[in-house]
mmCIF file with all atom_site columns, all heavy atoms in Angstrom:
data_model
loop_
_atom_site.group_PDB
_atom_site.id
_atom_site.type_symbol
_atom_site.label_atom_id
_atom_site.label_alt_id
_atom_site.label_comp_id
_atom_site.label_asym_id
_atom_site.label_entity_id
_atom_site.label_seq_id
_atom_site.pdbx_PDB_ins_code
_atom_site.Cartn_x
_atom_site.Cartn_y
_atom_site.Cartn_z
_atom_site.occupancy
_atom_site.B_iso_or_equiv
_atom_site.pdbx_formal_charge
_atom_site.auth_seq_id
_atom_site.auth_comp_id
_atom_site.auth_asym_id
_atom_site.auth_atom_id
_atom_site.pdbx_PDB_model_num
ATOM 1   N N   . ARG B 1 225 ? 174.018 -60.112 174.695 1.00 92.00 ? 254 ARG B N   1
ATOM 2   C CA  . ARG B 1 225 ? 175.367 -59.596 174.440 1.00 92.00 ? 254 ARG B CA  1
ATOM 3   C C   . ARG B 1 225 ? 176.035 -60.368 173.307 1.00 92.00 ? 254 ARG B C   1
ATOM 4   O O   . ARG B 1 225 ? 176.674 -59.801 172.442 1.00 92.00 ? 254 ARG B O   1
ATOM 5   C CB  . ARG B 1 225 ? 176.219 -59.696 175.716 1.00 92.00 ? 254 ARG B CB  1
ATOM 6   C CG  . ARG B 1 225 ? 176.208 -58.438 176.568 1.00 92.00 ? 254 ARG B CG  1
ATOM 7   C CD  . ARG B 1 225 ? 177.389 -58.419 177.527 1.00 92.00 ? 254 ARG B CD  1
ATOM 8   N NE  . ARG B 1 225 ? 177.497 -59.625 178.339 1.00 92.00 ? 254 ARG B NE  1
ATOM 9   C CZ  . ARG B 1 225 ? 176.804 -59.848 179.464 1.00 92.00 ? 254 ARG B CZ  1
ATOM 10  N NH1 . ARG B 1 225 ? 175.954 -58.948 179.911 1.00 92.00 ? 254 ARG B NH1 1
ATOM 11  N NH2 . ARG B 1 225 ? 176.963 -60.966 180.145 1.00 92.00 ? 254 ARG B NH2 1
ATOM 12  N N   . LEU B 1 226 ? 175.831 -61.694 173.358 1.00 94.00 ? 255 LEU B N   1
ATOM 13  C CA  . LEU B 1 226 ? 176.418 -62.531 172.320 1.00 94.00 ? 255 LEU B CA  1
ATOM 14  C C   . LEU B 1 226 ? 175.913 -62.095 170.938 1.00 94.00 ? 255 LEU B C   1
ATOM 15  O O   . LEU B 1 226 ? 176.691 -61.900 170.009 1.00 94.00 ? 255 LEU B O   1
ATOM 16  C CB  . LEU B 1 226 ? 176.075 -64.008 172.582 1.00 94.00 ? 255 LEU B CB  1
ATOM 17  C CG  . LEU B 1 226 ? 176.331 -64.991 171.443 1.00 94.00 ? 255 LEU B CG  1
ATOM 18  C CD1 . LEU B 1 226 ? 177.793 -65.037 171.071 1.00 94.00 ? 255 LEU B CD1 1
ATOM 19  C CD2 . LEU B 1 226 ? 175.860 -66.388 171.828 1.00 94.00 ? 255 LEU B CD2 1
ATOM 20  N N   . PHE B 1 227 ? 174.601 -61.925 170.841 1.00 94.00 ? 256 PHE B N   1
ATOM 21  C CA  . PHE B 1 227 ? 174.051 -61.566 169.531 1.00 94.00 ? 256 PHE B CA  1
ATOM 22  C C   . PHE B 1 227 ? 174.363 -60.127 169.146 1.00 94.00 ? 256 PHE B C   1
ATOM 23  O O   . PHE B 1 227 ? 174.455 -59.805 167.965 1.00 94.00 ? 256 PHE B O   1
ATOM 24  C CB  . PHE B 1 227 ? 172.552 -61.865 169.469 1.00 94.00 ? 256 PHE B CB  1
ATOM 25  C CG  . PHE B 1 227 ? 172.286 -63.308 169.128 1.00 94.00 ? 256 PHE B CG  1
ATOM 26  C CD1 . PHE B 1 227 ? 172.261 -64.281 170.121 1.00 94.00 ? 256 PHE B CD1 1
ATOM 27  C CD2 . PHE B 1 227 ? 172.129 -63.696 167.816 1.00 94.00 ? 256 PHE B CD2 1
ATOM 28  C CE1 . PHE B 1 227 ? 172.058 -65.614 169.811 1.00 94.00 ? 256 PHE B CE1 1
ATOM 29  C CE2 . PHE B 1 227 ? 171.936 -65.032 167.493 1.00 94.00 ? 256 PHE B CE2 1
ATOM 30  C CZ  . PHE B 1 227 ? 171.893 -65.988 168.493 1.00 94.00 ? 256 PHE B CZ  1
ATOM 31  N N   . ALA B 1 228 ? 174.529 -59.281 170.168 1.00 94.00 ? 257 ALA B N   1
ATOM 32  C CA  . ALA B 1 228 ? 174.881 -57.894 169.861 1.00 94.00 ? 257 ALA B CA  1
ATOM 33  C C   . ALA B 1 228 ? 176.297 -57.800 169.303 1.00 94.00 ? 257 ALA B C   1
ATOM 34  O O   . ALA B 1 228 ? 176.631 -56.863 168.591 1.00 94.00 ? 257 ALA B O   1
ATOM 35  C CB  . ALA B 1 228 ? 174.749 -57.036 171.111 1.00 94.00 ? 257 ALA B CB  1
ATOM 36  N N   . SER B 1 229 ? 177.122 -58.804 169.633 1.00 94.00 ? 258 SER B N   1
ATOM 37  C CA  . SER B 1 229 ? 178.507 -58.758 169.150 1.00 94.00 ? 258 SER B CA  1
ATOM 38  C C   . SER B 1 229 ? 178.626 -59.196 167.693 1.00 94.00 ? 258 SER B C   1
ATOM 39  O O   . SER B 1 229 ? 179.698 -59.158 167.108 1.00 94.00 ? 258 SER B O   1
ATOM 40  C CB  . SER B 1 229 ? 179.402 -59.640 170.019 1.00 94.00 ? 258 SER B CB  1
ATOM 41  O OG  . SER B 1 229 ? 179.150 -61.000 169.733 1.00 94.00 ? 258 SER B OG  1
ATOM 42  N N   . VAL B 1 230 ? 177.502 -59.631 167.134 1.00 94.00 ? 259 VAL B N   1
ATOM 43  C CA  . VAL B 1 230 ? 177.523 -60.032 165.723 1.00 94.00 ? 259 VAL B CA  1
ATOM 44  C C   . VAL B 1 230 ? 177.036 -58.864 164.883 1.00 94.00 ? 259 VAL B C   1
ATOM 45  O O   . VAL B 1 230 ? 175.959 -58.335 165.124 1.00 94.00 ? 259 VAL B O   1
ATOM 46  C CB  . VAL B 1 230 ? 176.627 -61.266 165.487 1.00 94.00 ? 259 VAL B CB  1
ATOM 47  C CG1 . VAL B 1 230 ? 176.766 -61.751 164.059 1.00 94.00 ? 259 VAL B CG1 1
ATOM 48  C CG2 . VAL B 1 230 ? 176.989 -62.367 166.455 1.00 94.00 ? 259 VAL B CG2 1
ATOM 49  N N   . ARG B 1 231 ? 177.844 -58.467 163.914 1.00 93.00 ? 260 ARG B N   1
ATOM 50  C CA  . ARG B 1 231 ? 177.549 -57.232 163.191 1.00 93.00 ? 260 ARG B CA  1
ATOM 51  C C   . ARG B 1 231 ? 176.453 -57.352 162.141 1.00 93.00 ? 260 ARG B C   1
ATOM 52  O O   . ARG B 1 231 ? 175.751 -56.399 161.872 1.00 93.00 ? 260 ARG B O   1
ATOM 53  C CB  . ARG B 1 231 ? 178.826 -56.724 162.508 1.00 93.00 ? 260 ARG B CB  1
ATOM 54  C CG  . ARG B 1 231 ? 179.768 -55.980 163.445 1.00 93.00 ? 260 ARG B CG  1
ATOM 55  C CD  . ARG B 1 231 ? 180.902 -55.386 162.649 1.00 93.00 ? 260 ARG B CD  1
ATOM 56  N NE  . ARG B 1 231 ? 181.755 -56.447 162.129 1.00 93.00 ? 260 ARG B NE  1
ATOM 57  C CZ  . ARG B 1 231 ? 182.974 -56.700 162.599 1.00 93.00 ? 260 ARG B CZ  1
ATOM 58  N NH1 . ARG B 1 231 ? 183.481 -55.952 163.533 1.00 93.00 ? 260 ARG B NH1 1
ATOM 59  N NH2 . ARG B 1 231 ? 183.696 -57.686 162.109 1.00 93.00 ? 260 ARG B NH2 1
ATOM 60  N N   . THR B 1 232 ? 176.334 -58.515 161.499 1.00 94.00 ? 261 THR B N   1
ATOM 61  C CA  . THR B 1 232 ? 175.373 -58.608 160.400 1.00 94.00 ? 261 THR B CA  1
ATOM 62  C C   . THR B 1 232 ? 174.253 -59.590 160.734 1.00 94.00 ? 261 THR B C   1
ATOM 63  O O   . THR B 1 232 ? 174.453 -60.547 161.489 1.00 94.00 ? 261 THR B O   1
ATOM 64  C CB  . THR B 1 232 ? 176.064 -59.107 159.111 1.00 94.00 ? 261 THR B CB  1
ATOM 65  O OG1 . THR B 1 232 ? 176.615 -60.393 159.375 1.00 94.00 ? 261 THR B OG1 1
ATOM 66  C CG2 . THR B 1 232 ? 177.159 -58.154 158.683 1.00 94.00 ? 261 THR B CG2 1
ATOM 67  N N   . LEU B 1 233 ? 173.111 -59.336 160.126 1.00 95.00 ? 262 LEU B N   1
ATOM 68  C CA  . LEU B 1 233 ? 171.982 -60.241 160.348 1.00 95.00 ? 262 LEU B CA  1
ATOM 69  C C   . LEU B 1 233 ? 172.270 -61.611 159.727 1.00 95.00 ? 262 LEU B C   1
ATOM 70  O O   . LEU B 1 233 ? 171.852 -62.640 160.252 1.00 95.00 ? 262 LEU B O   1
ATOM 71  C CB  . LEU B 1 233 ? 170.705 -59.629 159.753 1.00 95.00 ? 262 LEU B CB  1
ATOM 72  C CG  . LEU B 1 233 ? 169.414 -60.383 160.045 1.00 95.00 ? 262 LEU B CG  1
ATOM 73  C CD1 . LEU B 1 233 ? 169.158 -60.478 161.540 1.00 95.00 ? 262 LEU B CD1 1
ATOM 74  C CD2 . LEU B 1 233 ? 168.222 -59.749 159.351 1.00 95.00 ? 262 LEU B CD2 1
ATOM 75  N N   . THR B 1 234 ? 173.000 -61.611 158.619 1.00 95.00 ? 263 THR B N   1
ATOM 76  C CA  . THR B 1 234 ? 173.389 -62.873 157.984 1.00 95.00 ? 263 THR B CA  1
ATOM 77  C C   . THR B 1 234 ? 174.108 -63.772 158.994 1.00 95.00 ? 263 THR B C   1
ATOM 78  O O   . THR B 1 234 ? 173.751 -64.936 159.170 1.00 95.00 ? 263 THR B O   1
ATOM 79  C CB  . THR B 1 234 ? 174.344 -62.605 156.804 1.00 95.00 ? 263 THR B CB  1
ATOM 80  O OG1 . THR B 1 234 ? 173.730 -61.677 155.918 1.00 95.00 ? 263 THR B OG1 1
ATOM 81  C CG2 . THR B 1 234 ? 174.676 -63.881 156.070 1.00 95.00 ? 263 THR B CG2 1
ATOM 82  N N   . ALA B 1 235 ? 175.092 -63.211 159.659 1.00 95.00 ? 264 ALA B N   1
ATOM 83  C CA  . ALA B 1 235 ? 175.866 -63.991 160.623 1.00 95.00 ? 264 ALA B CA  1
ATOM 84  C C   . ALA B 1 235 ? 175.028 -64.333 161.849 1.00 95.00 ? 264 ALA B C   1
ATOM 85  O O   . ALA B 1 235 ? 175.159 -65.411 162.420 1.00 95.00 ? 264 ALA B O   1
ATOM 86  C CB  . ALA B 1 235 ? 177.117 -63.222 161.024 1.00 95.00 ? 264 ALA B CB  1
ATOM 87  N N   . LYS B 1 236 ? 174.148 -63.416 162.254 1.00 95.00 ? 265 LYS B N   1
ATOM 88  C CA  . LYS B 1 236 ? 173.267 -63.686 163.404 1.00 95.00 ? 265 LYS B CA  1
ATOM 89  C C   . LYS B 1 236 ? 172.402 -64.901 163.126 1.00 95.00 ? 265 LYS B C   1
ATOM 90  O O   . LYS B 1 236 ? 172.260 -65.789 163.966 1.00 95.00 ? 265 LYS B O   1
ATOM 91  C CB  . LYS B 1 236 ? 172.367 -62.479 163.675 1.00 95.00 ? 265 LYS B CB  1
ATOM 92  C CG  . LYS B 1 236 ? 173.010 -61.437 164.553 1.00 95.00 ? 265 LYS B CG  1
ATOM 93  C CD  . LYS B 1 236 ? 172.022 -60.348 164.922 1.00 95.00 ? 265 LYS B CD  1
ATOM 94  C CE  . LYS B 1 236 ? 172.781 -59.275 165.678 1.00 95.00 ? 265 LYS B CE  1
ATOM 95  N NZ  . LYS B 1 236 ? 172.322 -57.945 165.521 1.00 95.00 ? 265 LYS B NZ  1
ATOM 96  N N   . GLU B 1 237 ? 171.807 -64.917 161.941 1.00 95.00 ? 266 GLU B N   1
ATOM 97  C CA  . GLU B 1 237 ? 170.929 -66.033 161.602 1.00 95.00 ? 266 GLU B CA  1
ATOM 98  C C   . GLU B 1 237 ? 171.716 -67.333 161.544 1.00 95.00 ? 266 GLU B C   1
ATOM 99  O O   . GLU B 1 237 ? 171.242 -68.384 161.981 1.00 95.00 ? 266 GLU B O   1
ATOM 100 C CB  . GLU B 1 237 ? 170.243 -65.775 160.257 1.00 95.00 ? 266 GLU B CB  1
ATOM 101 C CG  . GLU B 1 237 ? 169.129 -64.763 160.376 1.00 95.00 ? 266 GLU B CG  1
ATOM 102 C CD  . GLU B 1 237 ? 168.364 -64.600 159.068 1.00 95.00 ? 266 GLU B CD  1
ATOM 103 O OE1 . GLU B 1 237 ? 168.008 -65.619 158.458 1.00 95.00 ? 266 GLU B OE1 1
ATOM 104 O OE2 . GLU B 1 237 ? 168.136 -63.453 158.659 1.00 95.00 ? 266 GLU B OE2 1
ATOM 105 N N   . ASP B 1 238 ? 172.925 -67.263 160.998 1.00 95.00 ? 267 ASP B N   1
ATOM 106 C CA  . ASP B 1 238 ? 173.757 -68.450 160.905 1.00 95.00 ? 267 ASP B CA  1
ATOM 107 C C   . ASP B 1 238 ? 174.138 -68.951 162.301 1.00 95.00 ? 267 ASP B C   1
ATOM 108 O O   . ASP B 1 238 ? 174.063 -70.138 162.592 1.00 95.00 ? 267 ASP B O   1
ATOM 109 C CB  . ASP B 1 238 ? 175.016 -68.113 160.092 1.00 95.00 ? 267 ASP B CB  1
ATOM 110 C CG  . ASP B 1 238 ? 175.701 -69.365 159.588 1.00 95.00 ? 267 ASP B CG  1
ATOM 111 O OD1 . ASP B 1 238 ? 175.022 -70.151 158.921 1.00 95.00 ? 267 ASP B OD1 1
ATOM 112 O OD2 . ASP B 1 238 ? 176.890 -69.554 159.883 1.00 95.00 ? 267 ASP B OD2 1
ATOM 113 N N   . LEU B 1 239 ? 174.501 -68.021 163.162 1.00 95.00 ? 268 LEU B N   1
ATOM 114 C CA  . LEU B 1 239 ? 174.879 -68.382 164.531 1.00 95.00 ? 268 LEU B CA  1
ATOM 115 C C   . LEU B 1 239 ? 173.679 -68.985 165.270 1.00 95.00 ? 268 LEU B C   1
ATOM 116 O O   . LEU B 1 239 ? 173.802 -70.002 165.956 1.00 95.00 ? 268 LEU B O   1
ATOM 117 C CB  . LEU B 1 239 ? 175.399 -67.147 165.265 1.00 95.00 ? 268 LEU B CB  1
ATOM 118 C CG  . LEU B 1 239 ? 175.855 -67.381 166.700 1.00 95.00 ? 268 LEU B CG  1
ATOM 119 C CD1 . LEU B 1 239 ? 177.101 -68.260 166.729 1.00 95.00 ? 268 LEU B CD1 1
ATOM 120 C CD2 . LEU B 1 239 ? 176.147 -66.063 167.403 1.00 95.00 ? 268 LEU B CD2 1
ATOM 121 N N   . LEU B 1 240 ? 172.522 -68.346 165.101 1.00 96.00 ? 269 LEU B N   1
ATOM 122 C CA  . LEU B 1 240 ? 171.315 -68.850 165.767 1.00 96.00 ? 269 LEU B CA  1
ATOM 123 C C   . LEU B 1 240 ? 171.027 -70.277 165.324 1.00 96.00 ? 269 LEU B C   1
ATOM 124 O O   . LEU B 1 240 ? 170.716 -71.143 166.137 1.00 96.00 ? 269 LEU B O   1
ATOM 125 C CB  . LEU B 1 240 ? 170.122 -67.939 165.448 1.00 96.00 ? 269 LEU B CB  1
ATOM 126 C CG  . LEU B 1 240 ? 168.774 -68.401 165.992 1.00 96.00 ? 269 LEU B CG  1
ATOM 127 C CD1 . LEU B 1 240 ? 168.796 -68.486 167.504 1.00 96.00 ? 269 LEU B CD1 1
ATOM 128 C CD2 . LEU B 1 240 ? 167.653 -67.470 165.543 1.00 96.00 ? 269 LEU B CD2 1
ATOM 129 N N   . HIS B 1 241 ? 171.168 -70.520 164.037 1.00 95.00 ? 270 HIS B N   1
ATOM 130 C CA  . HIS B 1 241 ? 170.928 -71.862 163.515 1.00 95.00 ? 270 HIS B CA  1
ATOM 131 C C   . HIS B 1 241 ? 171.884 -72.863 164.153 1.00 95.00 ? 270 HIS B C   1
ATOM 132 O O   . HIS B 1 241 ? 171.490 -73.948 164.581 1.00 95.00 ? 270 HIS B O   1
ATOM 133 C CB  . HIS B 1 241 ? 171.081 -71.863 161.998 1.00 95.00 ? 270 HIS B CB  1
ATOM 134 C CG  . HIS B 1 241 ? 170.901 -73.202 161.374 1.00 95.00 ? 270 HIS B CG  1
ATOM 135 N ND1 . HIS B 1 241 ? 171.957 -73.994 161.003 1.00 95.00 ? 270 HIS B ND1 1
ATOM 136 C CD2 . HIS B 1 241 ? 169.793 -73.921 161.101 1.00 95.00 ? 270 HIS B CD2 1
ATOM 137 C CE1 . HIS B 1 241 ? 171.499 -75.134 160.514 1.00 95.00 ? 270 HIS B CE1 1
ATOM 138 N NE2 . HIS B 1 241 ? 170.188 -75.113 160.554 1.00 95.00 ? 270 HIS B NE2 1
ATOM 139 N N   . THR B 1 242 ? 173.154 -72.468 164.246 1.00 95.00 ? 271 THR B N   1
ATOM 140 C CA  . THR B 1 242 ? 174.158 -73.353 164.834 1.00 95.00 ? 271 THR B CA  1
ATOM 141 C C   . THR B 1 242 ? 173.833 -73.667 166.294 1.00 95.00 ? 271 THR B C   1
ATOM 142 O O   . THR B 1 242 ? 173.836 -74.819 166.712 1.00 95.00 ? 271 THR B O   1
ATOM 143 C CB  . THR B 1 242 ? 175.546 -72.690 164.750 1.00 95.00 ? 271 THR B CB  1
ATOM 144 O OG1 . THR B 1 242 ? 175.787 -72.349 163.382 1.00 95.00 ? 271 THR B OG1 1
ATOM 145 C CG2 . THR B 1 242 ? 176.621 -73.586 165.252 1.00 95.00 ? 271 THR B CG2 1
#
Side-chain angles (χ1 to χ4, degrees):
Chain B
R254 267 199 307 278
L255 167 62
F256 276 85
S258 74
V259 186
R260 280 187 292 252
T261 60
L262 187 60
T263 306
K265 274 187 186 148
E266 284 185 47
D267 198 55
L268 181 67
L269 176 61
H270 178 260
T271 305

